Structures are given as structure tokens and as C-alpha cells.
Amino acid sequence: MQQRLIDQVEQDLRELADPDRAIKMQAYMKSSMPYLGVPMPQVRKLTSAAVRAFPFASAEQLLATAEVLWREAEYRELRYVALALTALKPARGNLNFLPLYEEMVSTGAWWDYVDEVSHRIQELLKSQPATMKPLIRRWSVASDFWFRRLSIISQLQLKTATDLDLLSSVIDANAADKEFFIRKAIGWALREYSKTDPQWVSAFVAARTSTLSPLSQREALKRLR
């Protein structure tokens, strides 16, 4: 674990704390965990500075540090730092980080965490498709809807590299779900892919007008009207 880095980011965050903004941020995110009131661009900036000052000796040290930050965070910004660390090169596409990502989804259980984790899952999907494709399919039918959301948005912006069988499978598994964050995710995934293949998205939605929610259809076709 890189304790010096943890101490540095905690100090920097506290120096930038804005109590008034913190209240607004906590209310906006409907978060039980308090904020310090530090905007995300500043969180990322101070994280990068701390990494430069205290570089990681190994991927294992990076993982251990991110785990501690996530699990012991008293403020939401510290969890954002943990997420930012997983975007570093030693973590990207590294299957050893997968248990932490699953922990972040299950214990974080909110869209800001899940949507950020989706970028890491996409990197794993590209580097470890044999492992990740079956796992993403299992997530698509999980009892925890945040894992189902993760499965749906795991291929955002892959463009022509999108696995359409996988995308179709995870959407079809959730097409009738009434949860807002699932319906929104379906629309988002389809809308994003419509930038690459609008005809495919149009046909996909047309074939599922009886199962896809109006919200999902509206979001999916937003760029095509």
C-alpha cells in the first residue's frame, strides 16, 4: 500500500474542501456518504500530482492502495480517487483488479461509480474477452440491477469493435425491466452505437417495440430523428 500517496490526497482534498458545495454535491448525488466539496476535475488533478510524487512500484501496490482508499473512505471524493487510480496503465486490462471492480459496484451501488467502472470493464473485455464475455452475460441477469446496468454499458464507444451478439444479449435480458437506470442504460448504449451503425439500431429497436420501454426507444433513436 502506498500510504504516503493516501496521506497526500487526503491532505490536498481537505485543503480544497468547500462545505457549501459539499452539501449541494451530497444532495445532488443522494449520497449517504458526505462530500468535502471538491469538484471532479480537481480530484483528478490532485490524484495525478500525488501519483507523480509517489509512483507505484507495482500493479499489486496500486491495487492495494485503491482497495484501502475505497474501503476506508470517509468522503466520497476519496472513492473517486480510488476509481481514478484504476485508470492508471498498470491496472488497465489487468484481471487482478476485477474483484475490486465488482466490490465497487456492489458496495457503491450508484450510477457515478458504476459508470466509471464500466470503462475499466471495457478495457478488460478488450484484453480478456474469453473471461469477460461470459461474465458480462452473467451480470446481465444478476439480481443486483447495478451489475445489469454495467453489462449494458460495458461496450460504449467501441464503435465497429462492438460485439453485437453480446450487446443484443444483455439488452434483451433487460428489455422489460422497469428500473429507470436500466431503461436509461439501454437507450444510452443503443444511441451510442447508432453513431456507428444507425441502420442496425433502427432495425433492432423496430423489432422490439413491444418489449423495449418508451424511454429506451426514445433515447436509442434520439440521433436518428
Side-chain angles (χ1 to χ4, degrees):
M1 183 183 68
Q2 181 54 286
Q3 186 62 53
R4 292 181 300 171
L5 182 144
I6 293 174
D7 293 342
Q8 186 64 58
V9 296
E10 288 183 342
Q11 176 183 323
D12 292 344
L13 285 169
R14 292 182 187 279
E15 289 177 355
L16 293 170
D18 183 332
D20 291 336
R21 182 185 286 120
I23 293 171
K24 295 176 183 177
M25 293 171 73
Q26 185 174 359
Y28 173 74
M29 290 302 299
K30 302 177 181 178
S31 173
S32 60
M33 181 178 288
Y35 278 85
L36 285 166
V38 182
M40 275 303 301
Q42 289 181 293
V43 173
R44 294 191 181 102
K45 184 176 180 180
L46 67 85
T47 301
S48 296
V51 171
R52 288 194 299 271
F54 305 106
F56 290 100
S58 64
E60 291 75 17
Q61 187 183 59
L62 170 57
L63 175 58
T65 304
E67 288 173 339
V68 169
L69 278 163
W70 180 266
R71 293 168 185 169
E72 299 184 2
E74 296 180 9
Y75 297 94
R76 206 171 183 94
E77 286 92 342
L78 286 168
R79 285 192 157 181
Y80 293 156
V81 173
L83 283 162
L85 291 181
T86 66
L88 296 176
K89 188 174 181 180
R92 299 174 72 170
N94 188 333
L95 272 175
N96 291 331
F97 284 73
L98 179 58
L100 175 59
Y101 301 148
E102 293 181 311
E103 178 181 339
M104 287 172 162
V105 173
S106 62
T107 61
W110 200 240
W111 65 265
D112 56 337
Y113 298 140
V114 174
D115 292 3
E116 183 61 28
V117 168
S118 73
H119 300 300
R120 310 286 79 82
I121 297 305
Q122 184 176 121
E123 291 160 358
L124 285 173
L125 177 60
K126 289 189 288 187
S127 67
Q128 308 287 342
T131 298
M132 294 307 298
K133 286 183 182 182
L135 179 59
I136 289 171
R137 290 181 191 274
R138 290 199 297 274
W139 285 344
S140 74
V141 293
S143 58
D144 185 341
F145 74 82
W146 291 113
F147 279 99
R148 289 189 274 120
R149 178 179 173 90
L150 181 61
S151 74
I152 294 164
I153 63 174
S154 63
Q155 294 193 83
L156 287 176
Q157 299 180 335
L158 279 184
K159 301 180 179 179
T160 56
T162 301
D163 182 326
L164 294 178
D165 287 338
L166 180 60
L167 180 62
S168 299
S169 173
V170 299
I171 290 177
D172 285 339
N174 291 279
D177 197 286
K178 295 182 179 180
E179 167 59 49
F180 169 81
F181 287 106
I182 295 297
R183 292 181 170 189
K184 194 75 171 180
I186 290 171
W188 185 15
L190 291 171
R191 183 176 71 251
E192 187 62 35
Y193 188 64
S194 75
K195 300 175 185 178
T196 299
D197 192 340
Q199 290 78 22
W200 186 91
V201 172
S202 292
F204 183 91
V205 173
R208 293 162 175 80
T209 54
S210 63
T211 54
L212 287 175
S213 71
L215 172 60
S216 295
Q217 294 183 52
R218 185 168 61 252
E219 290 292 319
L221 301 175
K222 187 174 289 185
R223 294 179 56 86
L224 306 181
R225 291 173 174 168

